[in-house]
Amino acid sequence: MTTTLPFHADKTLLSDAATAVKTAGVALRDRYTPHARGVSMRGIAEETHANDEAVLDLLRAPLLRARPGSRWAEDELAGGPLPAGEWWVVDPAEGNINHVHGMEDWAVTATLVRDNRPVLTVVHLPLTGDTYTAVAGGGAHLNDRPLKVSAKTDLGAALTGTGQAKPGEDERTFRRIGDSVTAMLIHGLVVRVSVPAMTQLIHVAAGRTDAFWQFSDVRSGLLAGALLVCEAGGTVTDLAGAPWTTGSPDFLAAAPGIHTAALNVLSPIA
């Protein structure tokens, strides 16, 4: 039977998780080049797979050992609810496509999910050395500094963002992304369209940007981001306005002052 850890116990587990994620980050950083690797679909796939393989073994054993009885969610691109209990949802190379193309927006992430609720997360950016963490009920932090979402109340002044969750999504999803960008360009200030979700969501949690939405249920980036944004004082729902869960078909994380306005723009598209 899975036990529920109090906040103070989760803080100890957070330290163990951060150590594992940072160790994996060193391995991924050592594989990074400032130029693109792979010029064909096969070459790109081989490079991304090699990144995952180089990092996974550095994460799996330490994380499972740190929380006895927890289980491992194998596919970082999977969506939907997990079975009951505690699961590690990990992306060994969040933003893998960026890493392979010599860009800097990538990270290593690990999130402990308890009965489909994220309770602890670590997001490490190896190129900068920055580490974003959150424990349910304990706030969100960048290194040792508390994070707080934006105080904006005017959507017209908002910097927002979106992007696709994974390659090869269906045409309807692509059209919704395009329609939503157009709508938010009309009602907001600037829209960033980029991947991965996590590197946009850490900016929402830190108050640098004001909202992020996605027409997807891919768990790995959204679980970590949802916990960081919530613990930094943000609002996280689906595009119907209901609290976001792993079973939600879409996602919106926003500063409270613009969440309703953003929802009004996006919900007709969803």
Side-chain angles (χ1 to χ4, degrees), residues 109-270:
T109 75
T111 304
L112 183 66
V113 181
R114 182 176 297 143
D115 295 329
N116 281 292
R117 297 177 64 87
V119 295
L120 175 153
T121 194
V122 179
V123 177
H124 180 61
L125 280 59
L127 291 184
T128 65
D130 286 333
T131 304
Y132 293 78
T133 60
V135 175
H141 294 81
L142 166 56
N143 302 324
D144 294 324
R145 178 174 64 84
L147 295 177
K148 187 174 182 180
V149 296
S150 165
K152 286 183 185 173
T153 57
D154 177 10
L155 184 62
L159 173 58
T160 64
T162 190
Q164 69 190 90
K166 58 184 178 181
E169 295 190 86
D170 61 89
E171 182 178 343
R172 179 170 179 264
T173 297
F174 291 149
R175 292 191 180 281
R176 286 192 294 175
I177 292 170
D179 290 346
S180 70
V181 169
T182 299
M184 196 60 79
L185 285 169
I186 293 168
H187 295 280
L189 179 63
V190 173
V191 179
R192 301 176 72 230
V193 182
S194 64
V195 294
M198 175 48 58
T199 57
Q200 292 215 55
L201 284 164
I202 59 176
H203 292 312
V204 177
R208 304 183 193 108
T209 62
D210 306 295
F212 172 82
W213 72 94
Q214 194 171 81
F215 298 100
S216 171
D217 65 348
V218 173
R219 289 188 298 255
S220 58
L222 298 181
L223 278 163
L227 183 58
L228 283 164
V229 172
C230 284
E231 289 297 320
T235 303
V236 181
T237 67
D238 63 20
L239 291 176
W244 181 80
T245 71
T246 52
S248 299
D250 40 46
F251 179 91
L252 172 64
I258 66 155
H259 177 267
T260 297
L263 198 62
N264 289 340
V265 171
L266 296 169
S267 58
I269 299 167

Side-chain angles (χ1 to χ4, degrees), residues 14-29 55 58-59 63 108-110 122-126 129-133 143-144:
L14 182 68
S15 177
D16 294 337
T19 297
V21 169
K22 290 176 183 179
T23 299
V26 172
L28 195 60
R29 185 187 64 205
V55 174
L58 298 173
L59 290 167
L63 291 174
V108 180
T109 75
V122 179
V123 177
H124 180 61
L125 280 59
D130 286 333
T131 304
Y132 293 78
T133 60
N143 302 324
D144 294 324

